[in-house]
Amino acid sequence: EIELTRAQQTSGGQPFFAGATPAHGDFNAFHHLDNAMLLEPDILQRTESLSEWFGRMRSLPQLQGFLSNRPVLNGIGEDPGLEDRLG
């Protein structure tokens, strides 16, 4: 969390880690934070800049399409697995 916050704060006011558009690192960090939030939904409340970045990522149209159709991750902490939304 500390390193991600530092990266966001040193991005020179850019909306994403590497500049004006999201790059591979943004999507990688988003994936891990999104999964972490399944266990700790409030994990980003302490870090305003990281929370704002997460909101920008989540609002990307392409990512919204993926998130609405991806398999559901269930059984966290017990027996993790994916549930296919399409059957």
Side-chain angles (χ1 to χ4, degrees), residues 1 6 13 22 24 35 38 45 58-59 67 73-74 81-83 85:
E1 174 185 336
R6 187 174 302 139
H24 183 269
N35 284 338
L38 293 172
Q45 284 188 345
R58 192 172 258 300
S59 68
L67 292 174
L73 183 58
N74 54 37
L82 297 175
E83 177 183 319
R85 291 181 189 225

Side-chain angles (χ1 to χ4, degrees), residues 14-43:
Q14 296 291 325
F16 301 101
F17 292 134
T21 59
H24 183 269
D26 291 285
F27 289 101
N28 190 336
F30 178 86
H31 167 75
H32 291 288
L33 284 173
D34 194 49
N35 284 338
M37 290 175 69
L38 293 172
L39 293 173
E40 281 190 63
D42 300 333
I43 197 168

Side-chain angles (χ1 to χ4, degrees), residues 22-78:
H24 183 269
D26 291 285
F27 289 101
N28 190 336
F30 178 86
H31 167 75
H32 291 288
L33 284 173
D34 194 49
N35 284 338
M37 290 175 69
L38 293 172
L39 293 173
E40 281 190 63
D42 300 333
I43 197 168
L44 296 178
Q45 284 188 345
R46 306 184 292 233
T47 54
E48 184 179 350
S49 64
L50 199 53
S51 180
E52 290 170 355
W53 164 84
F54 190 84
R56 285 191 295 276
M57 288 296 293
R58 192 172 258 300
S59 68
L60 294 170
Q62 300 89 337
L63 194 51
Q64 284 180 350
F66 167 75
L67 292 174
S68 66
N69 292 309
R70 72 177 171 177
V72 175
L73 183 58
N74 54 37
I76 301 293
E78 298 165 5

